[in-house]
Amino acid sequence: GENVEQHPSTLSVQEGDSAVIKCTYSDSASNYFPWYKQELGKRPQLIIDIRSNVGEKKDQRIAVTLNKTAKHFSLHITETQPEDSAVYFCAASRGGGFKTIFGAGTRLFVKA
Amino acid sequence: GAGVSQSPSNKVTEKGKDVELRCDPISGHTALYWYRQSLGQGLEFLIYFQGNSAPDKSGLPSDRFSAERTGGSVSTLTIQRTQQEDSAVYLCASSLFPPDQETQYFGPGTRLLVL
């Protein structure tokens, strides 16, 4: 069945450094790749997403890259801040009318 | 406006009992999703409703799990004969109208504990 692998499971960085989280997906028909952030005790919230017709998308300090051939996509956070500490989930979907499969999550710690 | 709401927020039950979890999506959202999140784990897909289409039930872990969505709005997830391994947070999410608006808005979850 469909699967999304996410690495690393835990990531610790110093404030101001960059953080990179990587995901791979198995369903080659996937064309929509969102990233969600879940702070401790709170609900997941979308932070950025990318569709298969683009290779990169950026929003201030966060960016996502997609390699459809390799079925890889990555989240990049630059100039990390303590408030970036959270669990980040990648996901893949075929788009409207289909389910979304989430990765297992990456717990990011940003040390001040 | 009002977000996705879920009830109850917490549920403690005894093994073998049935439970019903409720989700109220954002008004006008046609897609509704149920996920299960075990402690420190990811989001496990359970079931997906989209408009009047047949739901995608491929994530339901056993026939003890079922869900319905009445009138295209409120959804109920039912777990029959609960087992201890069913203990988890059950999250509901809704989105406006895939594929144009696919952002999923999550509810606060129902924390289920099966003793």
Side-chain angles (χ1 to χ4, degrees), chain A residues 36 38 43 46 51 99-100, chain B residues 37 58 99 102-104 106:
Chain A
Y36 286 80
Q38 186 176 29
R43 66 193 78 181
L46 180 77
R51 294 192 181 275
K99 62 190 176 188
T100 302
Chain B
Q37 186 172 32
S58 60
E102 297 198 64
T103 302
Q104 293 185 34
F106 284 82

Side-chain angles (χ1 to χ4, degrees), chain A residues 30-105:
Chain A
S30 297
N31 59 16
Y32 175 65
F33 307 91
W35 287 86
Y36 286 80
K37 175 183 180 182
Q38 186 176 29
E39 296 179 9
L40 189 62
K42 297 191 176 181
R43 66 193 78 181
Q45 290 189 307
L46 180 77
I47 55 171
I48 195 168
D49 56 13
I50 191 168
R51 294 192 181 275
S52 58
N53 56 348
V54 297
E56 184 173 358
K57 183 176 179 180
K58 189 173 182 179
D59 182 4
Q60 298 183 341
R61 296 186 298 108
I62 59 174
V64 58
T65 58
L66 171 65
N67 182 329
K68 278 216 76 177
T69 302
K71 293 192 279 189
H72 289 173
F73 57 116
S74 301
L75 177 72
H76 304 253
I77 306 174
T78 59
E79 300 171 23
T80 53
Q81 301 167 4
E83 52 265 36
D84 294 330
S85 296
V87 178
Y88 291 81
F89 294 99
C90 62
S93 168
R94 293 186 180 186
F98 290 91
K99 62 190 176 188
T100 302
I101 301 300
F102 282 79

